[in-house]
Amino acid sequence: RSGLAISAAMAQQGVPYRYAASSPGEAFDCSGLTAYAWGQAGVGLPHQSRAQFASVPHVSQADAQPGDLLFYYSPISHVGIYLGGGQLVHAPTTGSFVNVAAVNWSKVTGVGRPG
């Protein structure tokens, strides 16, 4: 299922960030993107990063696999989908777009595995 979630998220590259949005081809916020992508793989997630963290099993950073959710900051306020190789796809912030970026492991506070 992780491959389906990754494909769904990657297909939204270039879509603008908008707070509280989860509209394919129109706009996403970070948790809207992850909820949409995993929803395409048949896994329901709430639309809020802290709620997503609370709803999935956790694994260590060392065990992170493609498709896992990477949660940032304390308290948690950002989430993206790990692609492997130190990369993630996410909807970063106002004024930006869904994109692939390097993982900043020093700011990752949790890793979750949906599905």
Side-chain angles (χ1 to χ4, degrees):
R1 289 186 184 183
S2 60
L4 294 172
I6 288 170
S7 293
M10 293 294 283
Q12 298 303 312
Q13 285 187 90
V15 171
Y17 176 95
R18 188 171 70 231
Y19 180 74
S22 186
S23 301
E26 293 180 27
F28 283 104
D29 69 1
C30 65
S31 60
L33 177 66
T34 55
Y36 165 76
W38 271 100
Q40 297 303 110
V43 177
L45 292 172
H47 185 163
Q48 204 274 341
S49 56
R50 269 172 261 171
Q52 288 182 4
F53 183 74
S55 75
V56 297
H58 303 154
V59 298
S60 71
Q61 284 188 20
D63 291 330
Q65 296 177 2
D68 286 349
L69 299 178
L70 302 183
F71 296 93
Y72 283 80
Y73 312 116
S74 184
I76 290 167
S77 59
H78 186 61
V79 61
I81 299 176
Y82 188 51
L83 299 173
Q87 302 283 301
L88 83 159
V89 60
H90 66 156
T93 189
T94 301
S96 66
F97 302 86
V98 174
N99 67 66
V100 173
V103 175
N104 184 343
W105 290 107
S106 68
K107 298 203 185 294
V108 173
T109 52
V111 180
R113 185 160 294 157

